[in-house]
Amino acid sequence: MNVLILGQGGREHALAYVVSKSKLINSLFVAKGNPGIKEYATIIDIDPLDFKAIMEFSLQEEIHLIIPGSEVYLENGIADYFLGSNISVFGPTKKSAQIETSKAFAKEIMKKYDIPTAEYQIFDNYNEAIKYLDKKEIPIVIKYDGLAAGKGVVVATTKDEAVNALKIMLEDKKYGNGSVIIEEFLEGEEFSLMAFVHDEIVIPMPIAQDHKRLLDNDLGPNTGGMGVYSPVPIISKESVDYAVLNVMKKAAKGLVKEKYNFTGFLYGGLIQTIDGPKVIEFNARFGDPEAEVILPKLKTDFLEIINNLLHSTVKEIVWDNDYYLGVVLASKGYPNKYSINHKISGINKTDSPLFHMGTKMIDKELFTNGGRVLLVTGKGKTIEEAKENAYINVKNIECENLIYRTDIGAKSVKK
Ligand code: AMP
Ligand code: GLY
């Protein structure tokens, strides 16, 4: 098969890593890729959002399958653009991707198909939202339904904070004309459950736990993710089985019933509450950095899985039993202002996969080129061993401008 992956971060690097190992692969291309991906694929300089150019390239290179990394491509309709062509896109159409891109749509599906989630109400009017808020307890969660440059979710710990968020979103309309969801605050451990989905077929993956805050002990600002591990021993098998059945399978089935059939990676962001797992969000693509620790665990041929799914064939998937733990090395200053172009050395000394998130190569030397720069993994028979190995690998990397958390996986490590 000839395959084209769209994107350029750590997730796309991990996808290229597993696709390149498939016995079905003939040619693998990535647009626009990164220096780490060069090891496995041909990098092409086409903007993945230029669908016309992607189509021309795909016809010329006889591409069979396109795997979009980011939701941006789905939201802009990459799957719709290729409908009716001979090229498959492993990702949902724009309409089905609303499970991620519209919080109101996702909530309606969850309500209609009895998928456990936080209690909520949707508002367009500021005064009505305030009236509802007055009846509710704090903490409470305020979510803008639309793109808000990562500022659309406010977990308010005081009434003033909640009122202020509503004012910004509904009165000042700072992010646009979207509505707002006021949602019950859920308490518990967060985990990510992903599945390969095609219509009603749902093949779950091992779960992972992301670390969204910048600093140790979950302090500091929210980021795109500073570390991750898989599987997650603090979440029981019963909880995962429950979530596969009551969240992932119900969602896939519900989407089919609504004629919003979903093909691609479905991501459930869950919280383990005392009443069982509940959904905080769905995503319509692979999680990042989750992909970087889940995909290395895959023993079954990745393209065979996708191929079988696209033909509605179900076969058992095998994952190895090891733990993988990933530590993100980020530029000093991230998620705010940071500088780039700092030289990186030592990446070849690590003994388990290392994924590039924001790097560039100049004259065979590697430099930082983004907020999150590298994800370094460690593997082990236990989470403790994976953690130890990941940090040994981190120590091999030399760069004057990189920072990292020292407590990835700490909650799962026995004291
Ligand atoms: P974001 O990744 O910006 O969508 O932020 C979502 C984060 O807000 C999640 O990772 C949770 O930590 C938190 N969050 C969202 N909804 C809830 C909720 N209902 N209860 C508790 N925390 C939530
Ligand atoms: N790790 C969170 C996400 O991919 O959305």
Side-chain angles (χ1 to χ4, degrees):
M1 283 172 82
N2 300 328
V3 177
L4 171 60
I5 296 173
L6 304 181
Q8 56 194 22
R11 164 183 46 208
E12 291 76 17
H13 190 169
L15 286 164
Y17 170 79
V18 286
V19 171
S20 71
K21 288 200 296 189
S22 167
K23 58 180 190 305
L24 300 179
I25 191 73
N26 181 29
S27 300
L28 173 59
F29 300 92
V30 185
K32 292 186 164 185
N34 67 41
I37 294 176
K38 258 196 194 130
E39 200 182 318
Y40 315 104
T42 305
I43 303 297
I44 57 164
D45 189 21
I46 299 177
D47 176 0
L49 282 172
D50 185 348
F51 296 162
K52 188 165 171 277
I54 293 288
M55 175 70 95
E56 273 164 20
F57 175 84
S58 300
L59 291 172
Q60 180 194 316
E61 294 296 333
E62 296 179 8
I63 297 292
H64 300 100
L65 171 71
I66 296 178
I67 308 175
S70 156
E71 69 281 7
V72 174
Y73 314 133
L74 305 170
E75 195 174 21
N76 280 279
I78 181 84
D80 309 67
Y81 197 86
F82 282 81
L83 278 179
S85 76
N86 287 327
I87 301 159
S88 304
V89 173
F90 196 71
T93 58
K94 189 179 164 121
K95 184 173 127 172
S96 303
Q98 284 183 94
I99 192 83
E100 167 166 4
T101 58
S102 163
K103 290 185 170 63
F105 175 84
K107 281 293 197 187
E108 290 302 324
I109 292 283
M110 286 188 263
K111 189 155 116 188
K112 190 158 176 190
Y113 294 94
D114 194 27
I115 296 170
T117 186
E119 215 186 277
Y120 72 99
Q121 207 144 312
I122 303 173
F123 297 93
D124 291 314
N125 179 282
Y126 173 74
N127 292 328
E128 278 173 23
I130 293 286
K131 241 189 264 162
Y132 179 80
L133 181 67
D134 280 340
K135 291 186 276 175
K136 294 286 156 187
E137 291 186 13
I138 302 293
I140 196 147
V141 184
I142 315 283
K143 298 184 176 182
Y144 178 72
D145 193 16
L147 296 177
K151 298 196 170 69
V153 178
V154 175
V155 179
T157 49
T158 64
K159 188 82 177 282
D160 283 351
E161 221 181 321
V163 171
N164 194 40
L166 288 174
K167 188 174 173 307
I168 288 172
M169 295 178 196
L170 283 174
E171 277 229 306
D172 306 345
K173 299 199 184 293
K174 194 167 165 194
Y175 309 122
N177 277 322
S179 41
V180 164
I181 293 167
I182 302 184
E183 185 175 284
E184 166 199 12
F185 173 76
L186 299 176
E187 206 166 345
E189 284 298 328
E190 277 184 52
F191 64 101
S192 315
L193 169 59
M194 278 175 285
F196 298 92
V197 173
H198 180 56
D199 297 340
E200 288 195 24
I201 305 175
V202 173
I203 306 176
M205 306 183 199
I207 60 168
Q209 189 171 53
D210 190 1
H211 297 57
K212 290 205 169 120
R213 301 294 193 113
L214 179 72
L215 305 171
D216 283 4
N217 301 314
D218 288 332
L219 298 172
N222 250 323
T223 69
M226 292 300 291
V228 61
Y229 62 97
S230 174
V232 186
I234 45 176
I235 304 293
S236 70
K237 184 178 177 306
E238 290 71 33
S239 281
V240 176
D241 290 347
Y242 177 91
V244 167
L245 213 63
N246 291 286
V247 175
M248 308 306 280
K249 292 196 171 166
K250 278 188 184 173
K253 209 169 175 166
L255 286 167
V256 170
K257 278 220 171 109
E258 299 296 313
K259 301 205 165 38
Y260 279 63
N261 299 42
F262 188 99
T263 294
F265 308 107
L266 183 63
Y267 170 123
L270 303 160
I271 291 192
Q272 178 60 37
T273 74
I274 49 167
D275 302 320
K278 291 190 180 178
V279 178
I280 41 173
E281 64 170 356
F282 280 111
N283 291 319
R285 37 82 191 166
F286 230 115
D288 190 359
E290 287 90 338
E292 291 93 307
V293 290
I294 292 175
L295 288 170
K297 286 175 60 59
L298 186 60
K299 290 183 108 171
T300 308
D301 189 306
F302 181 81
L303 287 182
E304 215 169 78
I305 299 173
I306 305 286
N307 226 357
N308 283 337
L309 261 184
L310 291 173
H311 292 94
S312 298
T313 309
V314 186
K315 291 223 175 109
E316 205 199 339
I317 296 190
V318 183
W319 304 89
D320 78 15
N321 289 321
D322 288 331
Y323 287 83
Y324 279 84
L325 186 138
V327 179
V328 171
L329 306 189
S331 297
K332 277 181 199 162
Y334 171 81
N336 300 311
K337 209 170 161 223
Y338 56 83
S339 63
I340 58 169
N341 299 322
H342 299 272
K343 193 174 157 195
I344 309 166
S345 50
I347 64 160
N348 295 326
K349 292 187 193 156
T350 66
D351 63 0
S352 61
L354 172 147
F355 299 107
H356 293 230
M357 302 180 105
T359 66
K360 66 178 166 190
M361 192 80 91
I362 301 172
D363 293 338
K364 296 199 174 133
E365 297 211 281
L366 196 64
F367 294 87
T368 64
N369 193 34
R372 290 184 303 158
V373 177
L374 293 170
L375 183 138
V376 178
T377 67
K379 177 181 167 176
K381 293 283 165 224
T382 60
I383 186 86
E384 285 88 346
E385 199 180 299
K387 183 173 184 214
E388 207 178 309
N389 288 334
Y391 282 103
I392 289 171
N393 290 334
V394 166
K395 295 258 154 43
N396 282 325
I397 308 234
E398 286 167 45
C399 178
E400 60 180 19
N401 200 50
L402 292 179
I403 52 152
Y404 57 89
R405 274 180 67 158
T406 63
D407 67 342
I408 303 306
K411 277 189 207 152
S412 272
V413 171
K414 289 189 197 81
K415 299 261 163 47

